[in-house]
């Protein structure tokens, strides 16, 4: 094994480790944060970044065309579905009254929901 491949493997392992640590911080945030909106933020942002870093690390290790295409599809669909699911959870929590309106800085959704009544 030459030095270039050894360097790529080390960088891949480092990216996997950093991605896993960021995902762990997201899980800790989901357990520790007090309300639905904060938890949905902690569920989406660090998890998406952590997964992208893990996939980049795995891509550096595998280096095959089919594997890279599969990892690219995983990253695409994760970035597409994660924020949408978090938005839907936050919106349903807002509509069912599980959000404390006193802690919101801006409540733009309140105007949209009360105009139609």
């Amino acid at each position: 094994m030459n030095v270039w491949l050894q360097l790529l493997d080390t960088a891949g392992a480092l990216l996997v480790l950093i991605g896993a640590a960021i995902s762990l911080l997201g899980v800790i945030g989901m357990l520790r944060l007090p309300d639905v909106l904060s938890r949905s933020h902690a569920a989406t942002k660090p998890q998406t970044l952590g997964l992208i870093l893990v996939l980049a690390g795995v891509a550096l290790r595998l280096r095959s065309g089919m594997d890279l295409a599969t990892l690219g599809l995983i990253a695409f669909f994760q970035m597409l579905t994660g924020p949408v699911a978090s938005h839907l959870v936050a919106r349903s929590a807002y509509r069912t009254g599980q959000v404390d309106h006193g802690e919101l800085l801006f409540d733009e959704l309140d105007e949209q929901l009360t105009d139609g009544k």
Side-chain angles (χ1 to χ4, degrees):
M1 182 182 283
N2 64 20
V3 177
W4 179 247
L5 294 177
Q6 183 75 27
L7 185 64
L8 285 177
D9 287 343
T10 304
L14 187 64
L15 283 176
V16 168
L17 182 65
I18 292 170
I22 289 174
S23 295
L24 178 66
L25 288 175
V27 169
I28 292 170
M30 284 175 43
L31 294 174
R32 302 279 308 198
L33 291 173
D35 61 339
V36 176
L37 299 180
S38 299
R39 286 180 182 170
S40 68
H41 177 78
T44 305
K45 299 227 183 214
Q47 298 300 336
T48 303
L49 177 63
L51 181 71
I52 298 300
L53 289 175
V54 167
L55 292 176
V58 171
L60 287 176
R61 176 68 176 107
L62 294 179
R63 297 186 281 277
S64 166
M66 184 61 77
D67 294 333
L68 294 178
T70 303
L71 293 173
L73 284 174
I74 292 170
F76 173 73
F77 285 116
Q78 174 64 30
M79 291 185 71
L80 183 71
T81 59
V84 172
S86 177
H87 174 78
L88 291 175
V89 166
R91 191 169 175 104
S92 68
Y94 182 89
R95 286 181 176 245
T96 58
Q98 297 177 5
V99 174
D100 184 18
H101 296 279
E103 292 189 16
L104 296 177
L105 294 177
F106 300 104
D107 194 3
E108 296 169 353
L109 194 57
D110 186 39
E111 296 171 4
Q112 294 176 0
L113 292 177
T114 57
D115 282 345
K117 293 182 180 180

